[in-house]
Amino acid sequence: MRFSKMLIPTLRQTPADAEAISHILMLRAGYIRQLAAGLYIYLPLSLRVTRRIHKILREEMNAIGAQEIALPALHPAEVWQETGRWYEIGDEMFRLKDRTGRDMCLGMTHEEIMTWLAVREIRSYRDLPQVWYQIQTKLRDEARPKSGLLRTREFLMKDSYSFDADEEGLERNYQLHAEAYHRIFSRCGLKFHMVQSDPGMMGGATSHEFMAPSPAGEDVVVLCDSCGYAANVELALSNPKKIEIMDWEFGEVHTPEKRTVQEVSNFLKLKPEYFIKSLLVISDDGPVLALVRGDQELHEKKLGRIIGKHRPALKEEVKDILGVEAGFIGPMNHDIRLVADSCLQEGVYVSGANKQHYHARGIKPGRDFTAELHDITLAKEGDLCAKCDSPIKIERVIEIGNIFKLGKKYSVPLKAFYLDEKGEEKPIIMGSYGIGPARIASAAIEQNNDRDGIIWPRSIAPFDVEILPLNMTDAKTLETAENLYRDLTAKGLDVLLDDRDERAGVKFKDADLIGIPTQVIIGEKNLREGIVEIKDRKTKEIVKVKVAEVIERMKVEAAQ
RNA sequence: CGGGGCGUAGCGCAGUCCGGCUAGCGCACCUGCUUUGGGAGCAGGGAGUCGGAGGUUCAAAUCCUCUCGCCCCGACCA
């Protein structure tokens, strides 16, 4: 492909409303343009990247026996009503009516439609297992699209669905997908982790996410280097670091106007981990006092799994229910439900004295108060692994794929049944598995860039090589460029020839920005000795080779 | 949906507080000459509903009201 014939609108300046590195670089390097919030136009370069990612996806999906099909993006409401999601999902679903007034929606995922198909086409255990996948547009009216292609309202997803006769079959397909996903992300040149995740509204018992480490990510995971424990903080278990058990006698301390743990900690010159934070929340079953150690954060979702839906209490409610202002609550002498983080099982602490301007020191769990013990804190750096007690790491990540065991969640309401060997009717056991190609591309840029631009992993780069003839008025340069272009293309490489009549500096800058892994630089002086340069975008290493040796050299590079 | 920021030429911005001549600057674009290994120089040129609507005023990019859009933080994220 010739640069002059391709729409590659590079930008010298950074567009004002981009913040994430991948977003900035995709705009600057001429890969994408924004149509509206969360809606992007894919220009030729990004389409090439997308196609390469799709090719890898298809190869690996086909390799585990999955069959590609294509479902509509526009769905009738009825199917979604049958599973209840039409009602459960809020504004995130694009809804519309057709000309006859029939309710329709734009597909945000395809469990319903895939199951609809299974209902009709799978009758017997002999038809099972099946794995169907598609690479299809999803539409979600995101509350907050952000970071370029990382969170958009319209995006492609490779989604596959497995249909099995029993849990063992599902387990097999789940494992096959996990392995395929490992191969896919490795082939795409990404650093990633597979972590336990919260199945959330997808339903089902087990799910994992594939996470690419990046500061631009929206998720946070907990990792243990020594035992391999890896989980999304949404559900990650951990133990706060151990603290010394103090031998304080119980007693009240005057702490005028000192309300927060930080204030009291400074005032008493005691580290926050010797405090108990008491937080009042209102659940559907009444008020609950949640207790966490002073250096820990309450994890709303974990608490929610124990006490159900809840909200923080208002200031007045705290006074009404506990009889004291919020800054001076302690765990003692209350007749409401108490839920404490497990680490508070032992130790001696400071907390509010349930008395204005007073705190109490020497509080002993079990003696001074009794609470249900659960892990209700947010895992943080420095905590100890719940499995092996080694220090854990916290990492910010981009979710690039997920796998769910759905079980019967969709097959039962949609009546996707099959007849087993005994002629008994049974629900099909399902799984669903997604990968976002745009997130792969974004994560690849987030993980591979420098001040000059993108550094694509070879496997998903828009081109394998870019040829830079520096002086377009020199006949020898032109001839060499054309020959190399023809020969490299004939060898099956994707080659971009920068045939623009631009100055050398412009070509260098654009080449580095665009990020094609290998550059072949044809300069007039070198050419007089029959030499061109091969530059590695990543290492910036330049090797001078005879023109005739370029092809051989490129084959070696491409194989790496 | 809550909080914050921004909307002026294709891009990046100044001007807005304190209303006043023909709305500026850099880059990009077009023409010509020179230049040619890391975003060239000189000369000339084209390009604007100042996001939109209404209002105040002799006069509005600037003040007031409403509204639309985009970004960031949070909530949400099937």
Side-chain angles (χ1 to χ4, degrees), chain A residues 104-161:
Chain A
M104 313 283 287
C105 65
L106 301 178
M108 30 197 310
T109 175
H110 283 78
E111 280 78 15
E112 276 80 359
I113 312 304
M114 280 285 183
T115 311
W116 184 96
L117 181 65
V119 168
R120 265 135 269 256
E121 309 309 333
I122 297 174
R123 313 262 153 108
S124 152
Y125 69 94
R126 291 196 180 89
D127 300 329
L128 296 170
Q130 293 284 338
V131 180
W132 299 336
Y133 78 98
Q134 61 172 347
I135 298 176
Q136 232 274 18
T137 299
K138 308 289 185 230
L139 296 121
R140 296 180 187 176
D141 197 356
E142 288 287 349
R144 181 142 104 86
K146 58 183 285 201
S147 308
L149 299 188
L150 282 177
R151 190 162 205 88
T152 54
R153 293 195 290 176
E154 174 178 322
F155 58 97
L156 286 174
M157 187 191 278
K158 185 292 301 171
D159 48 327
S160 39
Y161 303 82

Side-chain angles (χ1 to χ4, degrees), chain A residues 48-103:
Chain A
R48 283 182 157 261
V49 172
T50 304
R51 294 236 162 93
R52 283 206 160 170
I53 294 170
H54 288 182
K55 182 160 182 278
I56 292 171
L57 291 170
R58 291 195 166 100
E59 286 172 6
E60 296 298 341
M61 291 315 295
N62 295 341
I64 61 167
Q67 307 165 68
E68 185 169 6
I69 64 177
L71 304 178
L74 180 62
H75 307 167
E78 289 84 59
V79 204
W80 287 81
Q81 287 163 348
E82 280 171 50
T83 61
R85 287 164 112 192
W86 177 264
Y87 310 102
E88 287 163 27
I89 297 168
D91 291 337
E92 201 158 316
M93 181 186 262
F94 281 107
R95 297 163 206 258
L96 63 161
K97 288 183 195 297
D98 71 8
R99 58 166 68 204
T100 68
R102 183 188 195 191
D103 280 319

Side-chain angles (χ1 to χ4, degrees), chain A residues 303-317:
Chain A
L303 183 63
R305 280 181 211 118
I306 297 152
I307 67 165
K309 261 196 16 218
H310 64 279
R311 58 168 176 86
L314 304 173
K315 276 187 179 150
E316 307 82 68
E317 288 173 321

Side-chain angles (χ1 to χ4, degrees), chain A residues 38-54:
Chain A
L39 297 176
Y40 285 87
I41 292 165
Y42 284 64
L43 297 174
L45 283 178
S46 57
L47 201 54
R48 283 182 157 261
V49 172
T50 304
R51 294 236 162 93
R52 283 206 160 170
I53 294 170
H54 288 182

Side-chain angles (χ1 to χ4, degrees), chain A residues 422-456:
Chain A
K422 298 183 199 116
E424 266 178 60
E425 191 171 69
K426 290 194 171 153
I428 297 172
I429 307 299
M430 291 175 55
S432 89
Y433 318 87
I435 287 183
R439 288 206 176 162
I440 291 182
S442 299
I445 295 176
E446 295 287 343
Q447 292 183 351
N448 304 282
N449 67 79
D450 60 19
R451 110 176 61 73
D452 296 315
I454 302 170
I455 306 171
W456 285 111

